[in-house]
Amino acid sequence: MKAVGDTSPRIISREIESGFYLLRVDDEKVNYFEAIWSIPERITYNAYLLVEDGGAVLFDGWKTVYADDLIEAIRGIVSPRDLTHVIVHHVEPDHSGSLPKVLEANGFRAEVVTNPMSKPMIESFYKICPKFRLVKDCEEISAAGEKIKLINTPWLHWPETMMSYLTNRRILVPCDAFGGYSIPRTILDEDDEVVREYLPSVRKYVATVIGFYRQYIIRNIEKLQNLQLDIEIIAPAHGLIWKRNPRLILDYYRSLAEGRPDGNKILVVSGSMYGLMEKAARIAVEEVERLGGRTAFYQFNDLEQPPFSEIIGNAIDSRAIILAAPTYEAGVYPPIDHLADLITKKIPPKPVLILGSYGWAGIVAKKLSEKLTGAGFKVVEMIEFRGSPSEEDVRRIREGVRRLLESS
Ligand code: FEO
């Protein structure tokens, strides 16, 4: 527990099993992951340390700003000078930012074990030339009394990304994959309550960070299955460690990548400058709920601008989507246009109902429909009206919702 007024980061150093340590920092300062995605729930960066038989292996690291804290955490277990290997699974700086300082504290003695693609990235990001050991897919190295298999898992989350499998201990260290946002109150998936609290942050993380590469989630999970790894622990670089039920996070990732719906959840997003379109969106929400659906309803208006991260986090496991927007400068009201871009990039195709409105010329339905169908989404119905919805428009909206639910 930190004292009131203590602004130092919360660091957790814990031996998960004999000689294998979690080094976790809780980033309570970050507001926007990748300087894009709003994450009021924050995030953790998890590095791991294996110390055995005179060897010491560091798996990944923390953001640059926490580099000194990581060195202190390592020092609590082993002298940084005694690191024999630093495995860099992924060069994104939330994990590699501490590398230059760690290597400096180590006297550049350790081998940096990584994918050949990572070498020019590390050199160009940090202007350092460490002792690289570049490994091939599924190559095994011996270090700290372990046989570590390095498995290429491209696009989880960048093309160079690898995972480590500790063959004796049966631990998978997958870096970004199988992680999530938030600062879980435990380090392990100890009980159902902790997992239930955490999974919405996994869903949001997958949609925002890896959703664009979702086909690779499926391919890489299949690759792990084909390698017939016996996995007892999954130790990701963000969030909870999976020890009680590692299968759960593998299955959850796969279901998100496939866009499997969470029950009857329907995402409804309305943009409305003066409330006319919002009236129509509320009718759609009412009809969804009357027909037994559950809505995740977001409104862009002159009081609220909901975070895109929340919306697409709810899009990925929705059964269907309703987008409602007025015409704006001969196009789509910009927040909904941007949302449609995000959805078509990051979310598996879903059935969609479009509501469009206009004052003098309607274009929204056509433009949104072209964008969505071009990305494989099925536009079940487009309902466009002038001004505020008339009684006949209300009837069409209710009918459109009914058709949407039938088709999803
Ligand atoms: Fe957690 Fe792709 O970095």
Side-chain angles (χ1 to χ4, degrees):
M1 180 76 77
K2 290 200 298 175
V4 175
D6 181 356
T7 56
S8 61
R10 184 166 46 214
I11 309 289
I12 297 173
S13 171
R14 187 81 54 86
E15 194 167 20
I16 303 298
E17 60 165 64
S18 173
F20 183 73
Y21 299 83
L22 161 71
L23 305 175
R24 166 176 136 178
V25 61
D26 296 347
D27 191 348
E28 294 169 300
K29 291 186 180 153
V30 64
N31 289 323
Y32 299 98
F33 189 69
E34 294 180 329
I36 305 171
W37 309 111
S38 168
I39 50 164
E41 66 273 62
R42 320 294 185 199
I43 194 165
T44 76
Y45 312 112
N46 306 342
Y48 297 90
L49 186 61
L50 176 66
V51 183
E52 197 83 67
D53 284 356
V57 182
L58 177 68
F59 299 82
D60 297 311
W62 297 347
K63 245 171 48 168
T64 307
V65 68
Y66 299 118
D68 291 333
D69 302 292
L70 177 60
I71 291 164
E72 275 315 296
I74 294 169
R75 195 168 277 132
I77 300 164
V78 69
S79 164
R81 285 192 69 78
D82 293 339
L83 290 175
T84 52
H85 301 79
V86 178
I87 297 183
V88 178
H89 292 121
H90 172 34
V91 189
E92 190 162 12
D94 52 333
H95 311 291
S96 73
S98 54
L99 184 66
K101 279 197 168 182
V102 167
L103 289 174
E104 211 173 286
N106 168 257
F108 283 86
R109 291 144 58 109
E111 283 190 329
V112 173
V113 181
T114 196
N115 186 317
M117 283 187 79
S118 302
K119 180 174 180 281
M121 295 164 77
I122 292 170
E123 288 171 338
S124 67
F125 281 27
Y126 304 117
K127 312 300 181 212
I128 54 172
C129 302
K131 209 160 44 176
F132 281 106
R133 176 159 177 188
L134 305 178
V135 289
K136 295 197 223 36
D137 185 25
C138 290
E139 186 172 334
E140 287 184 352
I141 65 162
S142 294
E146 250 297 351
K147 206 178 268 182
I148 303 170
K149 188 191 277 286
L150 284 311
I151 304 161
N152 288 354
T153 48
W155 301 109
L156 295 182
H157 144 229
W158 285 359
E160 87 299 10
T161 310
M162 310 183 306
M163 298 181 185
S164 284
Y165 177 65
L166 282 56
T167 55
N168 300 326
R169 293 165 184 268
R170 298 174 183 161
I171 299 174
L172 184 72
V173 187
C175 201
D176 269 348
F178 315 128
Y181 291 134
S182 81
I183 298 180
R185 59 188 163 84
T186 62
I187 60 170
L188 299 173
D189 59 335
E190 297 183 349
D191 56 50
D192 292 345
E193 184 64 13
V194 164
V195 172
R196 191 188 58 73
E197 278 174 20
Y198 176 59
L199 289 184
S201 304
V202 172
R203 164 163 66 64
K204 178 170 160 181
Y205 169 85
V206 170
T208 51
V209 178
I210 328 180
F212 183 60
Y213 305 112
R214 59 189 176 274
Q215 291 307 329
Y216 290 89
I217 295 177
I218 297 167
R219 275 186 220 173
N220 283 306
I221 288 176
E222 284 172 356
K223 180 174 182 176
L224 296 177
Q225 282 164 347
N226 292 337
L227 288 170
Q228 298 188 320
L229 306 180
D230 181 9
I231 299 169
E232 286 191 357
I233 296 177
I234 296 180
H238 300 292
L240 280 183
I241 294 174
W242 299 85
K243 187 172 182 185
R244 189 175 62 114
N245 188 2
R247 185 79 241 167
L248 188 149
I249 193 65
L250 292 168
D251 291 345
Y252 191 53
Y253 257 65
R254 183 162 189 142
S255 80
L256 292 172
E258 290 173 348
R260 265 183 255 157
D262 174 9
N264 278 328
K265 179 162 79 172
I266 309 295
L267 175 71
V268 185
V269 189
S270 148
S272 190
M273 291 180 279
Y274 297 102
L276 303 182
M277 176 49 89
E278 199 167 303
K279 210 185 269 182
R282 286 188 183 282
I283 290 161
V285 166
E286 187 187 290
E287 190 64 11
V288 168
E289 291 172 358
R290 196 182 69 80
L291 295 174
R294 173 168 57 90
T295 53
F297 181 31
Y298 294 95
Q299 303 149 72
F300 290 88
N301 56 35
D302 59 359
L303 298 177
E304 293 176 52
Q305 295 286 306
F308 289 105
S309 57
E310 280 297 320
I311 301 174
I312 63 169
N314 266 300
I316 195 165
D317 65 347
S318 62
R319 180 170 292 281
I321 296 172
I322 300 174
L323 293 180
T327 304
Y328 189 94
E329 294 174 346
V332 180
Y333 174 72
I336 300 295
D337 202 25
H338 179 54
L339 176 65
D341 287 337
L342 292 175
I343 284 175
T344 51
K345 272 186 107 169
K346 291 174 176 283
I347 303 302
K350 314 261 179 185
V352 182
L353 168 65
I354 296 172
L355 307 181
S357 68
Y358 59 95
W360 57 94
I363 192 72
V364 168
K366 181 174 177 292
K367 290 215 165 186
L368 274 181
S369 171
E370 281 169 3
K371 189 172 282 189
L372 291 157
T373 51
F377 285 67
K378 180 180 165 197
V379 174
V380 174
E381 186 96 36
M382 298 185 281
I383 298 163
E384 202 155 33
F385 56 88
R386 189 169 196 164
S388 60
S390 66
E391 271 182 35
E392 172 58 12
D393 298 326
V394 169
R395 190 199 61 72
R396 288 164 65 213
I397 292 167
R398 292 192 190 281
E399 176 62 15
V401 168
R402 191 188 58 72
R403 287 197 53 212
L404 180 74
L405 295 192
E406 276 173 7
S407 75
S408 60

